[in-house]
Amino acid sequence: MSTLKRYEFWFITGSQHLYGPETLRQVAENSQAIVKGLNDSTNIPCTVVYKPVVTTPDEITNMIKEANKDEACIGIITWMHTFSPSKMWITGLSLLQKPYCHLHTQFNRCIPNEEIDMDFMNLNQAAHGDREHGFIGTRMRMPRKVIAGYWEDEDVQSRLGKWMRSAIGVHVSRNLKVMRFGDNMRQVAVTEGDKVEVQMKLGWQVNTHAVGDLVKEINAVTDAQVDELIKEYQEKYQIATDNLEAIRYQAREEIAIKKMLDENGCGAYTNTFEDLHGMKQLPGLASQRLMEAGYGYGGEGDWKVSALTHIIKQMSEGLEGGTTFMEDYTYDLTLGNELSLGAHMLEVCPTIASDKPRIEVHPLGIGGKEDPARLVFEGRPGDAIVVSLIDMGGRLRMIIQDIECVEPIYEMPNLPVARVMWKAMPDLKTGAECWIYAGGAHHTVLTYTVTAEQMIDWAEMMDIEYVHINKDTTVQNLKQLLFLQDIAWKLK
Ligand code: MN
């Protein structure tokens, strides 16, 4: 069983008492059949929990209070099998603190030509009942996902499953602690941000921990612990260096950082090459390994990208594809086939590797420390997105761009970093101009598994601004959008 099954979504069916007990019994039975159908679907990653049909304002309010309180419940799905007058929902919905999906479906796929009569219509009213329910959500300005279609259809189940993953992102975000070793890189603007505002909005607890404490942990790692980890390295990666001591030191760093993260309940961390006092190497292999294990990482003290990496990794748990901390490294401006090369000086997650990563040791050129061991590999081709979160002063903006990762076109034998090349949408020049107008950072999260729609759902649930650069984006439209959104968010 997938570990995501531990997350519950409560399936709440609305009705009223107008139609008598027999209709309500049938409503309950049909709702249970839908819940079973969803739970049997491989497109639904989490557990859907059937809840008794709600028919009065008090029942609705109590149900939502319980959903708020229940730790396993990370969202609700509502459906109006019959008409459920939505003033009954106002108190309950105004209290709701969890992600909310309105599933607009009906129990029967087709109109039963011969059988349809007024009894059938007393029972099957979603077409109008769900519109009454939708109105109150809109009237109350509630962030929510609306999914319309037949509940047995793959596209409906798949969209619901993807939204559930966005809701997991909300849950993870609200419980996330980020460990910072050292501050942001000196003088850099885009990695800064208002940590109090971010905690209020996204829930992240971002706090500093002493590099000296980490060094103490690194030095306390035993040779036996290192030996054990080296065995794992030998199995998973190709060792392409004679400098085994450098690899052993990264193993120490990995063990020590992981210990501190786990002891403090942190899912993400940052460090900076400007603050490595007492450390022999900037963690390279160590950070790549920790990302591979699901921790978020951000270089140069970039805690926003680190937290976002962790959240997106949790949203895509169990899926093939990979998610990593990324940086726009350099361009290939060959006319008509312009590509971005994405990499970082060390820290790219091997979940995106297309081949078996090699462990290599090379000088770094900055930081003034010993040559760090790192994994070197090529990223795989495929559709992906890059995501950046910036602090606009008074609010956060998330920028998402669609990209298409391509097969490597150069060998680049003297560039010892993990990397991937991509075609930015709609094309490199337009895409880069849009990205720069939007204020997007050079650091991003690159993911093959989470879609732009899922990130937009997440942003809406977290109540932050977003911009999506895609194949249809033009510079002019984007500039107008940014102008209007700036006003809108100031009015909000
Ligand atoms: Mn960087």
Side-chain angles (χ1 to χ4, degrees):
M1 192 172 85
S2 157
T3 55
L4 294 183
K5 291 285 181 196
R6 70 184 183 274
Y7 293 122
E8 291 182 1
F9 289 82
W10 286 13
F11 193 91
I12 304 173
T13 310
S15 189
Q16 61 178 331
H17 281 289
L18 203 60
Y19 318 109
E22 176 52 28
T23 298
L24 287 176
R25 192 194 57 75
Q26 193 63 47
V27 166
E29 210 170 275
N30 293 351
S31 292
Q32 287 172 65
I34 292 179
V35 168
K36 183 175 183 312
L38 295 176
N39 281 322
D40 288 346
S41 165
T42 51
N43 290 307
I44 301 292
C46 306
T47 304
V48 183
V49 178
Y50 168 78
K51 288 287 160 186
V53 178
V54 287
T55 56
T56 67
D58 284 348
E59 282 174 13
I60 293 164
T61 303
N62 287 333
M63 181 68 75
I64 287 177
K65 281 182 181 167
E66 275 177 50
N68 283 340
K69 201 169 60 184
D70 190 281
E71 298 237 339
C73 172
I74 64 161
I76 65 164
I77 302 163
T78 60
W79 173 53
M80 304 304 118
H81 191 338
T82 63
F83 204 78
S84 179
S86 66
K87 286 204 281 186
M88 300 199 301
W89 287 77
I90 291 174
T91 308
L93 288 178
S94 69
L95 298 173
L96 180 64
Q97 295 164 342
K98 297 194 173 171
Y100 168 22
C101 176
H102 178 190
L103 180 62
H104 179 41
T105 189
Q106 62 184 18
F107 186 65
N108 52 299
R109 183 191 290 276
C110 301
I111 295 174
N113 185 27
E114 299 290 330
E115 285 88 46
I116 187 166
D117 57 13
M118 291 317 289
D119 285 344
F120 179 91
M121 282 316 303
N122 274 337
L123 178 63
N124 296 286
Q125 303 181 327
H128 51 283
D130 270 331
R131 284 167 200 254
E132 166 71 2
H133 188 67
F135 165 73
I136 206 65
T138 297
R139 177 69 177 77
M140 293 173 72
R141 274 78 171 168
M142 295 205 60
R144 68 211 196 275
K145 183 76 172 175
V146 180
I147 298 176
Y150 192 57
W151 57 278
E152 280 190 314
D153 286 347
E154 188 172 349
D155 75 301
V156 170
Q157 296 179 350
S158 165
R159 291 183 68 214
L160 182 60
K162 287 192 166 119
W163 172 78
M164 286 175 165
R165 289 180 176 276
S166 299
I168 289 171
V170 172
H171 173 77
V172 170
S173 183
R174 288 178 178 161
N175 290 282
L176 179 58
K177 293 184 191 166
V178 183
M179 183 173 281
R180 303 175 72 216
F181 293 113
D183 204 342
N184 300 58
M185 180 179 164
R186 284 188 284 274
Q187 305 287 14
V188 174
V190 77
T191 58
E192 292 284 358
D194 182 339
K195 296 194 280 293
V196 176
E197 177 68 21
V198 167
Q199 186 166 347
M200 287 163 60
K201 211 68 181 170
L202 307 179
W204 306 351
Q205 300 174 45
V206 184
N207 287 298
T208 187
H209 289 255
V211 177
D213 287 339
L214 175 59
V215 170
K216 218 182 292 171
E217 292 291 353
I218 291 171
N219 293 337
V221 173
T222 67
D223 284 340
Q225 282 175 289
V226 173
D227 292 344
E228 198 60 36
L229 202 53
I230 295 288
K231 271 187 227 157
E232 199 182 319
Y233 293 174
Q234 284 165 337
E235 273 169 33
K236 294 188 77 169
Y237 319 113
Q238 190 187 328
I239 312 270
T241 176
D242 296 329
N243 189 348
L244 300 182
E245 269 316 300
I247 302 178
R248 291 182 70 83
Y249 192 74
Q250 290 283 334
R252 285 179 182 281
E253 291 182 325
E254 177 184 334
I255 292 164
I257 297 168
K258 184 174 189 310
K259 179 164 182 268
M260 283 188 70
L261 290 171
D262 292 347
E263 279 175 359
N264 291 279
C266 295
Y269 71 103
T270 67
N271 56 16
T272 166
F273 64 91
E274 287 173 338
D275 192 353
L276 297 172
H277 189 79
M279 292 168 74
K280 291 184 182 168
Q281 297 174 28
L282 176 63
L285 173 61
S287 290
Q288 293 175 297
R289 289 268 310 161
L290 288 164
M291 265 192 277
E292 189 177 22
Y295 298 96
Y297 172 79
E300 294 95 50
D302 191 342
W303 48 272
K304 295 197 298 299
V305 82
S306 174
L308 206 54
T309 305
H310 176 68
I311 290 167
I312 295 176
K313 280 177 174 285
Q314 299 304 301
M315 285 167 67
S316 52
E317 189 180 319
L319 298 176
E320 297 287 320
T323 296
T324 180
F325 165 62
M326 186 48 72
E327 179 174 279
D328 293 89
Y329 217 46
T330 192
Y331 295 136
D332 189 79
L333 295 175
T334 300
L335 209 57
N337 191 32
E338 291 89 348
L339 296 171
S340 298
L341 175 70
H344 204 254
M345 55 190 183
L346 297 175
E347 311 91 344
V348 176
C349 179
T351 54
I352 72 157
S354 63
D355 47 3
K356 191 173 185 174
R358 299 182 306 281
I359 301 182
E360 301 183 11
V361 179
H362 302 277
L364 198 55
I366 57 172
K369 295 288 171 178
E370 291 178 9
D371 301 351
R374 84 288 304 269
L375 293 166
V376 179
F377 54 85
E378 299 283 353
R380 66 173 68 94
D383 290 337
I385 56 170
V386 282
V387 189
S388 167
L389 187 71
I390 58 167
D391 188 327
M392 287 293 292
R395 75 172 189 276
L396 297 162
R397 172 184 289 163
M398 192 174 73
I399 300 122
I400 309 158
Q401 184 168 35
D402 294 346
I403 62 169
E404 183 196 339
C405 298
V406 299
E407 297 275 1
I409 59 164
Y410 297 114
E411 284 179 23
M412 298 178 283
N414 295 311
L415 183 70
V417 297
R419 64 277 187 118
V420 60
M421 289 190 87
W422 67 75
K423 227 183 258 281
M425 296 297 146
D427 58 76
L428 188 144
K429 286 181 276 188
T430 312
E433 287 175 16
C434 289
W435 187 270
I436 286 169
Y437 279 123
H442 56 289
H443 285 166
T444 58
V445 184
L446 184 152
T447 178
Y448 295 82
T449 46
V450 170
T451 63
E453 182 176 346
Q454 285 175 292
M455 290 316 298
I456 289 167
D457 286 345
W458 182 81
E460 285 179 346
M461 289 189 271
M462 304 312 304
D463 191 28
I464 62 168
E465 184 191 2
Y466 67 85
V467 174
H468 179 204
I469 303 167
N470 56 56
K471 65 177 176 39
D472 300 320
T473 306
T474 65
V475 172
Q476 197 185 351
N477 289 351
L478 183 99
K479 285 168 85 171
Q480 278 174 351
L481 180 77
L482 292 174
F483 174 73
L484 293 173
Q485 285 192 177
D486 199 40
I487 297 167
W489 280 89
K490 280 169 185 157
L491 291 173
K492 215 174 159 179

